[in-house]
Amino acid sequence: AADLTRLARENAKRRAVKIEPDPAAYNDFVIGFPFSETPDQSRAIAAVREDLASGRPMDRLVIGDVGYGKTEVAMRAAALVALAGKQVGIAAPTTVLVRQHFETFTQRFERTGLKVASLSRLSDAAERKRVKAGLADGSISVVIGTGAVASKDVEYAKLALVVIDEEQRFGAADKAMLRNLAVTGGGGLEVGALE
């Protein structure tokens, strides 16, 4: 509790980049959602959007039952950040989830022209090298991976958001590493379980 209170005080003093993408580009991304938003989902998306535009670091937890639409909340946050010219790191606890999210994000981001990549133990050496180079030079906007997205040898050109999927499945050391990455980037979104 003392650490959380200290962290909240420190976050209140910090500033982050205001995330304000081109409204037309963001609306074009939103149109790609094939379902109607639920009222709770709409509120969560609006809260995340307000956080990102506030100029203060975001530290938000989104939870809900399977089918709640948490993936779309995370995807909208990623779109807001990436369309504003910044980078997003998404950490999932398993390679299976990394693969699922990579496929979903790749499909949704296809029309934006932004690059989405994955990084995990299943990536071969050449792919890891290519992804790390793309993150370092800023040509990759969204990376989805295991804790590898926070490895010491991964450098980001303009990281602004870290999303932790199923944060309860990460160990304390991994969560601390990912949160530290979020602090250097400007914001964090923890998701109870992306469906």
Side-chain angles (χ1 to χ4, degrees):
D3 286 343
L4 289 174
T5 303
R6 179 188 49 76
L7 183 61
R9 274 196 308 270
E10 289 172 6
N11 280 346
K13 295 176 189 173
R14 289 186 21 244
R15 290 283 163 243
V17 175
K18 289 184 179 186
I19 302 297
E20 300 170 320
D22 173 54
Y26 178 70
N27 287 336
D28 189 45
F29 181 84
V30 169
I31 290 169
F33 185 49
F35 307 100
S36 297
E37 296 167 9
T38 66
D40 286 338
Q41 193 178 33
S42 294
R43 279 192 293 277
I45 291 167
V48 166
R49 191 170 185 179
E50 185 177 306
D51 282 351
L52 291 171
S54 73
R56 293 181 312 274
M58 177 176 67
D59 189 8
R60 182 168 291 278
L61 174 64
V62 176
I63 57 173
D65 293 333
V66 172
Y68 169 82
K70 298 174 295 294
T71 301
E72 185 63 17
V73 175
M75 207 174 302
R76 298 272 182 101
L80 286 163
V81 171
L83 290 168
K86 304 296 181 191
Q87 290 173 303
V88 179
I90 300 170
T94 67
T95 55
V96 171
L97 280 171
V98 168
R99 187 178 301 127
Q100 289 173 347
H101 293 326
F102 176 67
E103 290 172 7
T104 303
F105 275 68
T106 299
Q107 289 171 356
R108 280 295 297 285
F109 276 82
E110 187 174 37
R111 294 179 2 184
T112 67
L114 298 171
K115 283 188 182 177
V116 176
S118 73
L119 190 61
S120 74
R121 66 179 172 79
L122 297 181
S123 307
D124 63 35
E127 178 69 7
R128 280 193 299 274
K129 184 177 180 181
R130 183 190 68 75
V131 170
K132 289 176 184 179
L135 292 171
D137 70 19
S139 61
I140 292 176
S141 299
V142 179
V143 64
I144 302 163
T146 54
V149 299
S151 295
K152 292 178 183 173
D153 63 338
V154 176
E155 294 180 26
Y156 293 85
K158 46 196 170 185
L159 181 67
L161 177 67
V162 175
V163 177
I164 305 173
D165 176 18
E166 294 196 23
E167 62 84 25
Q168 74 280 4
R169 292 179 60 188
F170 282 94
D174 288 334
K175 282 196 271 192
M177 183 175 59
L178 290 163
R179 284 191 182 114
N180 195 32
L181 187 62
V183 167
T184 61
L189 177 67
E190 295 180 16
V191 183
L194 293 178
E195 63 276 355

Short mmCIF file of all heavy atoms in Angstrom, two decimals, residues 2 20 43 47 63 85 91 97 111 116 137 140 142 146 151 153 156 184 188 191 193:
data_model
loop_
_atom_site.label_atom_id
_atom_site.label_comp_id
_atom_site.label_asym_id
_atom_site.label_seq_id
_atom_site.Cartn_x
_atom_site.Cartn_y
_atom_site.Cartn_z
N ALA A 2 1.96 1.21 0.77
CA ALA A 2 2.86 2.37 0.83
C ALA A 2 3.50 2.62 -0.54
O ALA A 2 3.63 3.78 -0.97
CB ALA A 2 3.93 2.16 1.89
N GLU A 20 -3.21 13.03 -29.10
CA GLU A 20 -4.34 13.56 -29.86
C GLU A 20 -4.14 13.26 -31.34
O GLU A 20 -3.60 14.07 -32.09
CB GLU A 20 -4.45 15.08 -29.62
CG GLU A 20 -4.67 15.41 -28.16
CD GLU A 20 -4.55 16.90 -27.86
OE1 GLU A 20 -3.65 17.55 -28.42
OE2 GLU A 20 -5.35 17.37 -27.05
N ARG A 43 -17.84 3.63 -21.96
CA ARG A 43 -17.31 4.41 -20.83
C ARG A 43 -15.82 4.16 -20.65
O ARG A 43 -15.04 5.09 -20.41
CB ARG A 43 -18.07 4.09 -19.54
CG ARG A 43 -19.39 4.83 -19.42
CD ARG A 43 -19.97 4.71 -18.01
NE ARG A 43 -20.38 3.35 -17.67
CZ ARG A 43 -21.55 2.80 -18.01
NH1 ARG A 43 -22.43 3.51 -18.70
NH2 ARG A 43 -21.83 1.57 -17.68
N ALA A 47 -12.89 6.95 -21.05
CA ALA A 47 -11.99 7.23 -19.92
C ALA A 47 -10.53 7.11 -20.36
O ALA A 47 -9.69 7.95 -20.01
CB ALA A 47 -12.29 6.30 -18.75
N ILE A 63 -11.13 -4.23 -16.25
CA ILE A 63 -11.49 -5.61 -15.94
C ILE A 63 -12.92 -5.87 -16.40
O ILE A 63 -13.71 -4.95 -16.55
CB ILE A 63 -11.36 -5.94 -14.44
CG1 ILE A 63 -12.22 -4.99 -13.59
CG2 ILE A 63 -9.92 -5.88 -13.99
CD1 ILE A 63 -12.28 -5.37 -12.13
N GLY A 85 1.52 9.00 -33.70
CA GLY A 85 2.94 8.93 -34.03
C GLY A 85 3.83 8.36 -32.95
O GLY A 85 5.05 8.48 -33.02
N ALA A 91 2.13 -6.51 -23.66
CA ALA A 91 2.71 -7.72 -23.08
C ALA A 91 1.60 -8.70 -22.71
O ALA A 91 0.64 -8.33 -22.05
CB ALA A 91 3.52 -7.38 -21.83
N LEU A 97 -1.40 -16.31 -26.48
CA LEU A 97 -2.08 -15.02 -26.47
C LEU A 97 -1.38 -14.02 -27.37
O LEU A 97 -2.03 -13.22 -28.05
CB LEU A 97 -2.18 -14.47 -25.05
CG LEU A 97 -3.29 -15.04 -24.19
CD1 LEU A 97 -3.14 -14.57 -22.74
CD2 LEU A 97 -4.64 -14.65 -24.73
N ARG A 111 -5.56 -1.22 -42.36
CA ARG A 111 -5.95 -0.03 -43.13
C ARG A 111 -5.24 1.24 -42.70
O ARG A 111 -5.29 2.24 -43.39
CB ARG A 111 -7.46 0.20 -43.02
CG ARG A 111 -8.26 -0.90 -43.66
CD ARG A 111 -9.75 -0.74 -43.57
NE ARG A 111 -10.23 0.46 -42.93
CZ ARG A 111 -11.49 0.72 -42.69
NH1 ARG A 111 -12.40 -0.15 -43.05
NH2 ARG A 111 -11.87 1.82 -42.10
N VAL A 116 2.59 -3.47 -37.23
CA VAL A 116 2.39 -4.24 -36.01
C VAL A 116 3.34 -5.43 -36.08
O VAL A 116 3.47 -6.06 -37.13
CB VAL A 116 0.92 -4.74 -35.90
CG1 VAL A 116 0.74 -5.62 -34.68
CG2 VAL A 116 -0.05 -3.58 -35.89
N ASP A 137 14.15 2.32 -34.40
CA ASP A 137 14.08 3.44 -35.35
C ASP A 137 12.67 4.02 -35.49
O ASP A 137 12.45 4.97 -36.23
CB ASP A 137 14.65 3.04 -36.72
CG ASP A 137 13.81 2.03 -37.49
OD1 ASP A 137 12.60 1.86 -37.20
OD2 ASP A 137 14.36 1.40 -38.42
N ILE A 140 8.20 0.54 -36.39
CA ILE A 140 7.16 -0.35 -35.87
C ILE A 140 6.38 0.44 -34.82
O ILE A 140 6.95 0.95 -33.86
CB ILE A 140 7.76 -1.64 -35.27
CG1 ILE A 140 8.37 -2.48 -36.40
CG2 ILE A 140 6.69 -2.44 -34.52
CD1 ILE A 140 9.07 -3.74 -35.94
N VAL A 142 3.37 -0.78 -33.14
CA VAL A 142 2.79 -1.62 -32.10
C VAL A 142 3.55 -2.93 -32.06
O VAL A 142 3.71 -3.59 -33.09
CB VAL A 142 1.29 -1.91 -32.36
CG1 VAL A 142 0.71 -2.80 -31.27
CG2 VAL A 142 0.50 -0.62 -32.47
N THR A 146 5.62 -11.33 -25.29
CA THR A 146 5.69 -11.76 -23.90
C THR A 146 6.48 -10.69 -23.15
O THR A 146 6.65 -9.58 -23.65
CB THR A 146 6.38 -13.13 -23.82
OG1 THR A 146 7.65 -13.03 -24.48
CG2 THR A 146 5.53 -14.21 -24.49
N SER A 151 12.57 -6.35 -22.44
CA SER A 151 13.95 -6.81 -22.27
C SER A 151 14.91 -5.63 -22.33
O SER A 151 14.65 -4.63 -22.99
CB SER A 151 14.31 -7.81 -23.37
OG SER A 151 13.54 -8.97 -23.26
N ASP A 153 17.57 -5.38 -23.95
CA ASP A 153 18.12 -5.14 -25.29
C ASP A 153 17.07 -4.62 -26.28
O ASP A 153 17.36 -4.49 -27.46
CB ASP A 153 18.79 -6.40 -25.83
CG ASP A 153 17.82 -7.56 -26.03
OD1 ASP A 153 16.74 -7.56 -25.38
OD2 ASP A 153 18.14 -8.47 -26.81
N TYR A 156 13.07 1.54 -27.58
CA TYR A 156 11.95 2.15 -28.29
C TYR A 156 12.33 3.58 -28.68
O TYR A 156 12.92 4.31 -27.88
CB TYR A 156 10.72 2.20 -27.39
CG TYR A 156 10.15 0.84 -27.07
CD1 TYR A 156 10.63 0.09 -26.02
CD2 TYR A 156 9.11 0.31 -27.83
CE1 TYR A 156 10.11 -1.16 -25.71
CE2 TYR A 156 8.58 -0.94 -27.54
CZ TYR A 156 9.09 -1.66 -26.48
OH TYR A 156 8.57 -2.90 -26.20
N THR A 184 8.68 5.04 -18.16
CA THR A 184 9.54 5.73 -19.10
C THR A 184 8.78 6.12 -20.35
O THR A 184 9.10 7.10 -21.01
CB THR A 184 10.77 4.88 -19.47
OG1 THR A 184 10.32 3.68 -20.10
CG2 THR A 184 11.61 4.55 -18.27
N GLY A 188 0.27 3.49 -18.84
CA GLY A 188 0.08 2.06 -18.75
C GLY A 188 -1.40 1.71 -18.65
O GLY A 188 -2.17 2.44 -18.06
N VAL A 191 -4.94 -4.88 -18.23
CA VAL A 191 -6.19 -5.50 -18.60
C VAL A 191 -6.31 -6.81 -17.87
O VAL A 191 -5.39 -7.64 -17.93
CB VAL A 191 -6.27 -5.71 -20.13
CG1 VAL A 191 -7.59 -6.27 -20.53
CG2 VAL A 191 -6.02 -4.39 -20.85
N ALA A 193 -8.16 -9.47 -18.38
CA ALA A 193 -8.06 -10.63 -19.29
C ALA A 193 -8.65 -10.22 -20.62
O ALA A 193 -9.83 -9.99 -20.74
CB ALA A 193 -8.84 -11.82 -18.73
#
